[in-house]
């Protein structure tokens, strides 16, 4: 059974058509114009369907090229036999079309009216002028159209609406409606880039990729992998839109298909100037100004897909070689020009140029296209590019999680090193590969130890110190990380890559010890270094991850979101892991602000994408955040499953996140209703943080306990607030103090502080606590106001179901302990299971359940569950 393709993204067009069709005392109808496949016919048919539902008689006429040679050929199936002179024929045709009209009238759809014969066009014109029917006409833009049809809009009888392709968001909405679930953002972007919002092209492409299995659902997310193969049906549509190609035109299109964009003068040299002009006039080629240059590219991306599939291997290699040689002769000096020449040359019949390939691979890294960088660097190394090519190739292998292969290559690079600078250049990526990609931190630190034993040059040794700072931070040694980073960063001539790695250690260390206000100057220098150094470009994403974390812990939530958006925008069109890093970072920022559905969407996309190849640790990082986000929505089952997956992915380079791992367990326990267990786990997380000197994590853990209802930590949070940077610690201390004293007004004030900070979930919990406090003090007005605030903030959190919000949404005359036990019992746990989980006796559980049942007036667990659900 085929998938249903709903009409999507056409609200404004339908409103326009409805207004035009409903005019009184004038011609009624509309002309829908646009490119083939843009959706004109679908809009026209939808209009007729709506008219039929209102009681109108509807007629549908489809003009074709084959029927164009027959008078009234398009209307033949509707009218039966007619004859006589043209005037009589037109009267008979009009009568036939109007037959059976009721109070709602007649609506006629004329599809592809540019293909009408002259008599049919005249009939349509007369019907419109008669105002006896409503006429919806479609025409293809740019095609020769009968004068009688053209006059419909030129003479002002009907409005003409130029139907535009679907926008990116409209394409996304349509795809997700058709597929019945979310689609990964990279796939959506690629679909729109290829089809440019042409609904017919999109449908053909999607159905072909579904059939081929390249577009498939993975853990609830639709992912499009691999390279698209144009199906025969789609190729036929695209070829029809391109029209017949003469040999000179085909040469222009094929050269651009293999090498676009090309300067107009270069394209003319490679093909024929007259053919280039003709291709532009035909709409096959578009010409754009780029500074002082005029660049030519194909007018639609699918033109290139179709032609590349049709060009033979030998011809394509020859053409790429010709383009590469000609482009080199024009003397383009930009790095992008060299990159394009290298990409053409590597798949051509030309001899490889290792210098060109190495430079191009570096540019690909700078542009964050790691798959292309690996291909070019491999070719450069194979062509004898030497130390630089071999080093770059090894680094790229590590970045794309091919750690074992990278380690072999890096060992070979070390053998090529001839001085301290090169020995350091070889040691740093090998240690990093061992530390992150291969998950062998002890061996990584041993590589640094070995390098320090043979490297004498002071500046080179500082590079090793910079790397060690990042390692200290990852292993949960923040004070050592800060010290090593500052030592390295004191050197004004520290290489850009080392600046970034040292700043990783500094920012991560400062963030977890609570000195986030010192992060700003350090990251400014590091971001500048990533912009200046090709080597450091990839490291920018790791730097931003640590930066977001430091800002989040301090309570600078809006600033954290800004950093995440910058990385997302930078990586949105980048293939491979970096695009997923940008998505994951956006999800973590959404979680920090409390936008839970958004966080789950982005984090799930990152998780699915990284699951098949990530060994660097980012999958663990995002699973950790995803577990917390799911638990915060109350989805205990899936949160528990994700927690188990996260535990299996624990990474030894992310030991500093151990407190957050325990907090994830706490949130899962809270989602299951075991609130006292969640509080115990939050205290455990705080203890882990204290043991590592990570005071910001201690503060976060203790405040999480407060959100769960803990009234015992106000003194410690007040103490921490005097030592930690940022607005979070003082707000957490205020929340804890207000909860401990059951002060509703102070809890409302704490809620306002969290909302201003950008942490909507903490704000919602504080407001929920305020509602409970007001209720206990029998203040109905403030109770309602606080409950309404908690509800509003909970809605802004996109479905949050924390213990405090659940209690506020369904207040019951129970103690917190009674509510906890009732919740677990309603989930089907036996008294013994509840007792084991809460570490109390079965008799204690029985006593609490007896008292709760008496208060609620119920006699069984089914009634308990109904009350908790609000039935």
């Amino acid at each position: 059974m085929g998938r249903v393709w709903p009409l999507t993204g056409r609200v404004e067009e339908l409103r326009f058509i409805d207004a035009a069709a409903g005019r009184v005392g004038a011609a009624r109808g509309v002309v829908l114009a646009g490119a083939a496949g843009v959706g004109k016919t679908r809009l026209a048919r939808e209009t007729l369907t709506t008219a039929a539902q209102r009681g109108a008689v509807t007629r549908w006429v489809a003009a074709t090229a084959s029927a164009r040679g027959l008078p009234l050929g398009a209307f033949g199936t509707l009218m039966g036999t007619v004859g006589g002179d043209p005037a009589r024929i037109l009267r008979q045709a009009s009568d036939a079309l109007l037959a059976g009209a009721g109070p709602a009238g007649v609506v006629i759809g004329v599809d592809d009216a540019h293909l009408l014969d002259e008599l049919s066009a005249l009939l349509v014109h007369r019907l419109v002028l008669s105002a006896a029917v409503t006429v919806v006409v479609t025409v293809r833009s740019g095609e020769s159209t009968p004068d009688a049809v053209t006059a419909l809009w030129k003479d002002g009888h009907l409005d003409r609406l130029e139907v535009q392709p679907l926008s990116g968001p409209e394409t996304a909405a349509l795809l997700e409606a058709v597929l019945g679930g979310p689609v990964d953002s990279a796939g959506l972007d690629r679909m729109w880039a290829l089809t440019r919002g042409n609904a017919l092209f999109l449908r053909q492409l999607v159905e072909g990729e579904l059939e081929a299995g390249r577009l498939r659902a993975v853990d609830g997310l639709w992912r499009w992998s691999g390279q698209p193969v144009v199906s025969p049906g789609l190729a036929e549509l695209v070829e029809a839109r391109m029209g017949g190609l003469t040999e000179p035109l085909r040469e222009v299109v094929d050269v651009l298909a293999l090498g676009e964009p090309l300067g107009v003068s270069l394209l003319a040299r490679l093909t024929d100037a007259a053919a280039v002009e003709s291709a532009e006039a035909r709409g096959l080629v578009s010409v754009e100004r780029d500074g002082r240059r005029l660049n030519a590219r194909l007018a639609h991306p699918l033109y290139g897909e179709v032609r590349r599939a049709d060009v033979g291997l030998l011809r394509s290699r020859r053409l790429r070689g010709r383009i590469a040689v000609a482009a080199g002769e024009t003397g383009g000096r930009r790095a992008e020009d060299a990159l394009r020449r290298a990409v053409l040359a590597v798949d051509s019949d030309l001899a490889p140029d290792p210098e060109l390939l190495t430079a191009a691979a570096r540019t690909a890294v700078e542009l964050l296209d790691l798959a292309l960088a690996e291909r070019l660097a491999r070719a450069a190394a194979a062509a004898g590019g030497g130390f630089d090519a071999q080093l770059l190739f090894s680094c790229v292998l590590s970045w794309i999680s091919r750690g074992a292969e990278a380690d072999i290559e890096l060992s070979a690079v070390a053998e090529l090193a001839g001085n301290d600078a090169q020995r350091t250049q070889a040691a740093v990526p090998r240690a990093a590969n061992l530390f992150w990609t291969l998950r062998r931190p002890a061996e990584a630190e041993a590589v640094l130890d070995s390098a320090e034993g043979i490297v004498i040059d002071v500046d080179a040794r500082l590079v090793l110190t910079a790397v060690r700072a990042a390692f200290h931070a990852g292993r949960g040694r923040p004070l050592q990380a800060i010290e090593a980073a500052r030592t390295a960063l004191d050197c004004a001539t520290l290489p850009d890559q080392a600046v970034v790695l040292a700043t990783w250690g500094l920012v991560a260390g400062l963030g977890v010890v609570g000195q986030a206000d010192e992060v700003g100057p350090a990251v400014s220098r590091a971001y500048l270094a990533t912009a200046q150094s090709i080597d450091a470009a990839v490291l920018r994403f790791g730097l931003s991850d640590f930066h977001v974390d430091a800002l989040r812990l301090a309570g600078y939530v809006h600033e954290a979101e800004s950093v995440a958006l910058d990385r997302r925008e930078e990586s949105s069109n980048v293939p491979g892991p970096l695009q997923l890093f940008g998505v994951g970072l956006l999800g973590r920022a959404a979680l920090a602000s409390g936008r839970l559905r958004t966080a789950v969407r982005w984090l799930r996309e990152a998780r699915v994408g990284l699951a098949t190849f990530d060994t660097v640790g980012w999958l663990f990082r995002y699973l950790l955040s995803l577990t917390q986000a799911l638990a915060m929505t109350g989805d205990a089952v899936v949160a528990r499953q994700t927690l188990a997956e996260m535990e299996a992915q624990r990474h030894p380079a992310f030991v500093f996140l151990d407190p957050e791992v325990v907090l994830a367990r706490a949130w899962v326990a809270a989602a299951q209703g075991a609130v006292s267990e969640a509080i115990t786990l939050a205290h455990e997380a705080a203890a882990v943080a204290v043991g590592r000197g990570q005071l910001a994590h201690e503060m976060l853990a203790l405040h999480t306990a407060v959100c769960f209802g803990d009234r015992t930590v106000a003194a410690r949070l007040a103490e921490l607030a005097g030592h930690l940077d940022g607005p979070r610690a003082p707000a957490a201390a205020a929340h804890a103090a207000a909860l401990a004293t059951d002060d509703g007004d102070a809890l409302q004030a704490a809620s306002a502080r969290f909302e201003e900070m950008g942490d909507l979930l903490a704000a919602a919990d504080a407001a929920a606590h305020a509602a409970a406090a007001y209720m206990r003090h029998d203040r109905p007005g403030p109770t309602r106001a606080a409950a309404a605030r908690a509800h509003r903030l909970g809605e802004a959190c996109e479905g949050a179901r924390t213990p405090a919000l659940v209690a506020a949404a369904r207040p019951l005359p129970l103690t917190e302990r009674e509510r906890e036990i009732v919740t677990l019992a309603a989930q089907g746990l036996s008294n013994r299971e509840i007792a084991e989980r809460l570490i109390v006796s079965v008799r204690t559980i029985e006593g609490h359940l007896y008292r709760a049942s008496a208060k609620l007036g119920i006699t069984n667990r089914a009634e308990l569950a109904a009350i908790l659900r609000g039935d």
Side-chain angles (χ1 to χ4, degrees):
M1 181 178 177
R3 294 180 181 273
V4 176
W5 285 76
L7 185 66
T8 302
R10 298 301 190 189
V11 174
E12 292 300 320
E13 289 88 341
L14 288 171
R15 188 176 294 125
F16 182 95
I17 294 168
D18 193 53
R23 289 187 298 197
V24 178
R28 299 190 304 274
V30 66
V31 177
L32 303 176
V38 79
K40 308 180 299 296
T41 302
R42 183 65 189 276
L43 274 171
R45 283 197 174 278
E46 185 72 16
T47 301
L48 265 66
T49 298
T50 301
Q53 292 170 347
R54 294 171 178 168
V57 174
T58 61
R59 319 281 193 199
W60 183 259
V61 176
T64 63
S66 59
R68 195 171 193 172
L70 301 173
L72 288 184
F75 289 88
T77 57
L78 293 179
M79 296 185 307
T81 303
V82 295
D85 63 85
R88 181 182 177 187
I89 292 173
L90 290 174
R91 284 195 302 272
Q92 290 176 325
S94 296
D95 292 343
L97 292 170
L98 292 171
V106 176
V107 180
I108 300 175
V110 183
D111 195 29
D112 287 336
H114 55 283
L115 296 177
L116 289 173
D117 62 274
E118 293 297 333
L119 195 57
S120 294
L122 187 57
L123 173 60
V124 171
H125 189 269
R126 288 187 59 170
L127 287 168
V128 169
L129 265 60
S130 72
V133 296
T134 299
V135 182
V136 181
V137 177
T138 78
V139 296
R140 185 176 300 176
S141 298
E143 295 287 337
S144 177
T145 303
D147 291 342
V149 174
T150 303
L152 294 177
W153 69 85
K154 283 192 173 181
D155 293 347
H157 302 304
L158 296 181
D159 290 332
R160 172 175 166 142
L161 175 64
E162 201 71 31
V163 180
Q164 300 299 319
L166 296 172
S167 67
E170 290 166 347
T171 300
L174 175 58
L175 268 177
E176 295 192 346
V178 169
L179 296 173
V183 183
D184 74 291
S185 57
L188 290 173
D189 290 343
R190 290 173 64 205
M191 286 281 185
W192 189 86
L194 267 178
T195 64
R196 296 283 177 86
N198 185 295
L200 186 56
F201 289 173
L202 179 68
R203 181 169 185 166
Q204 289 287 334
L205 179 62
V206 167
E207 291 179 349
E209 294 303 291
L210 282 169
E211 185 176 351
R214 287 182 293 271
L215 178 59
R216 59 194 181 93
V218 182
D219 292 335
L221 179 74
W222 286 90
R223 295 200 76 233
W224 187 26
S225 58
Q227 294 299 315
V229 175
V230 178
S231 66
L234 179 56
E236 185 177 335
L237 287 172
V238 175
E239 287 168 350
R241 178 164 169 175
M242 293 170 69
L245 299 179
T246 63
E247 188 58 37
L249 278 177
R250 182 178 290 108
E251 187 76 1
V252 171
V253 172
D254 288 353
V255 166
L256 283 175
L258 296 171
E260 68 176 344
L262 293 174
V264 170
S265 59
L266 175 60
L267 179 61
R269 282 173 51 200
L270 287 165
T271 57
D272 176 79
V276 173
E277 292 178 7
S278 177
E280 183 189 19
R282 284 265 306 263
L284 297 168
V285 171
S286 63
V287 176
E288 305 162 348
R289 185 172 293 280
D290 180 13
R292 297 171 59 186
R293 298 198 290 190
L294 288 176
N295 282 338
R297 63 171 67 245
L298 294 175
H300 197 285
L302 284 173
Y303 294 173
E305 294 290 338
V306 169
R307 290 307 306 153
R308 281 192 294 274
D310 201 44
V311 177
L313 176 61
L314 294 178
R315 180 165 177 258
S316 67
R317 285 175 59 81
R318 177 179 59 81
L319 285 177
R320 287 190 177 98
R322 283 187 60 212
I323 299 168
V325 170
E329 291 172 350
T330 62
R333 299 177 181 178
R334 298 184 301 186
E336 291 83 356
D337 295 328
L339 174 62
R340 292 181 57 248
R341 290 204 309 275
V343 171
L344 288 164
V346 80
D347 286 327
S348 76
D349 54 3
L350 300 177
D353 179 346
E355 185 177 343
L356 173 65
L357 290 168
T358 303
R362 289 188 179 280
T363 302
V365 171
E366 187 176 11
L367 296 174
L368 306 177
D369 190 341
L370 298 185
L372 177 59
E374 186 271 335
R375 185 163 155 249
L376 294 173
R378 182 185 292 275
F387 180 88
D388 288 344
Q390 193 77 34
L391 177 64
L392 182 58
F393 175 48
S394 305
C395 290
V396 175
L397 288 174
S398 180
W399 294 332
I400 60 177
S401 293
R402 288 161 60 179
E405 188 178 351
D407 192 52
I408 294 171
E409 297 294 336
L410 285 164
S411 298
V413 170
E415 296 296 322
L416 297 175
N419 54 49
D420 277 0
Q422 289 189 338
R423 279 187 277 274
T424 303
Q425 285 179 290
V428 167
R430 186 169 187 217
N433 183 58
L434 287 165
F435 191 81
W436 284 292
T437 311
L438 293 178
R439 303 177 180 231
R440 286 147 50 185
E443 292 180 51
E445 293 186 299
V447 167
L448 293 185
D449 293 339
S450 177
E452 286 177 344
I454 60 174
V455 172
I456 300 172
D457 182 81
V458 174
D459 288 347
R461 291 177 67 85
L462 284 174
V463 171
L464 301 174
T465 301
V467 180
R468 204 177 285 280
F471 287 2
H472 282 317
R475 297 292 288 166
R477 304 187 287 258
L479 297 180
Q480 292 168 270
I482 294 168
E483 181 182 3
R486 285 176 170 160
T487 298
L489 291 169
D490 280 344
C491 176
T493 59
L494 193 68
D496 290 326
Q497 184 189 60
V499 167
V500 180
L501 286 170
T503 308
W504 276 24
L506 183 63
V507 171
L510 291 172
V512 299
V513 302
Q515 297 174 17
D517 289 348
E518 298 181 36
V519 163
V523 294
S524 296
R525 178 183 175 186
Y527 282 131
L528 180 61
T530 66
Q532 294 174 335
S533 169
I534 292 170
D535 308 70
V538 175
L539 303 182
R540 181 159 55 245
F541 287 81
L543 174 63
S544 292
D545 191 82
F546 290 122
H547 190 192
V548 165
D549 219 32
L551 293 168
R552 172 186 69 98
L553 288 170
Y556 299 123
V557 177
H558 300 302
E559 292 86 340
E561 290 180 299
S562 178
V563 173
L565 282 170
D566 286 345
R567 294 293 79 75
R568 170 59 181 159
E569 290 175 7
E570 180 182 7
S571 63
S572 60
N573 295 317
V574 172
L578 293 181
Q579 185 269 337
L580 295 167
F581 295 167
V583 165
L585 195 59
L586 206 59
R588 292 189 58 239
L591 176 59
S593 71
R595 293 177 294 113
L596 299 183
R597 276 199 300 270
T598 300
V600 168
R601 165 68 189 261
W602 289 122
L603 291 165
R604 272 183 168 157
E605 181 173 331
R607 166 209 175 200
V608 170
L610 290 170
T612 57
F613 66 86
D614 174 68
T615 59
V616 180
W618 300 113
L619 177 59
F620 160 68
R621 184 76 146 129
Y622 302 144
L623 282 169
L624 175 55
S625 296
L626 179 59
T627 301
Q628 295 179 354
L630 287 166
M632 290 169 182
T633 67
D635 193 343
V637 174
V638 179
R640 180 68 192 175
Q641 294 169 349
T642 308
L643 175 66
E645 185 181 354
M646 179 268 289
E647 297 274 19
Q649 289 288 338
R650 290 284 289 273
H651 196 293
F654 289 85
V655 172
F656 76 100
L657 290 176
D658 283 355
E660 299 257 20
V661 172
V662 184
L663 275 183
R665 297 176 193 149
W667 274 109
V668 172
Q672 293 171 326
V675 180
S676 61
E677 179 185 340
I679 292 172
T680 299
L681 285 167
H683 279 268
E684 182 183 325
V688 172
V690 170
R692 300 233 171 89
Q694 298 177 198
L695 299 186
H697 272 137
E698 181 195 3
M699 175 270 298
L700 179 68
L702 293 179
H703 182 242
T704 302
V706 171
C707 291
F708 294 153
D710 185 6
R711 292 175 168 79
T712 68
V713 296
R716 178 56 181 163
L717 281 172
E719 183 181 352
L720 287 170
H723 295 90
L724 304 181
D725 293 340
R728 184 181 298 280
H735 186 183
L739 186 67
T741 56
D742 210 29
D743 186 336
D745 292 341
L747 284 165
Q748 282 282 64
S751 175
R753 291 175 74 167
F754 282 117
E755 183 177 15
E756 183 180 2
M757 179 199 309
D759 187 343
L760 300 180
L761 190 64
D765 278 342
H769 287 152
Y774 286 133
M775 178 177 287
R776 282 189 291 270
H777 291 281
D778 195 24
R779 298 177 62 188
T783 297
R784 287 192 296 271
R789 175 178 174 78
H791 177 75
R792 174 181 65 79
L793 289 166
E795 290 292 306
C797 291
E798 304 171 350
R801 285 184 58 81
T802 65
L805 287 171
V806 170
R810 185 64 177 158
L812 297 172
L814 303 176
T815 67
E816 291 174 354
R817 190 61 156 178
E818 287 169 351
R819 182 164 193 136
E820 177 181 33
I821 291 171
V822 163
T823 300
L824 293 171
Q827 293 176 9
L829 274 68
S830 68
N831 289 355
R832 181 167 298 280
E833 288 171 329
I834 298 172
E836 290 173 353
R837 178 149 199 179
L838 301 184
I839 317 176
V840 296
S841 69
V842 173
R843 180 163 296 181
T844 298
I845 300 300
E846 291 171 347
H848 281 300
L849 284 174
Y850 175 79
R851 287 188 292 275
S853 298
K855 290 178 181 179
L856 298 174
I858 58 174
T859 59
N860 59 59
R861 296 191 179 206
E863 291 177 318
L864 276 180
I867 285 179
L868 289 175
R869 289 193 306 268
D871 295 351

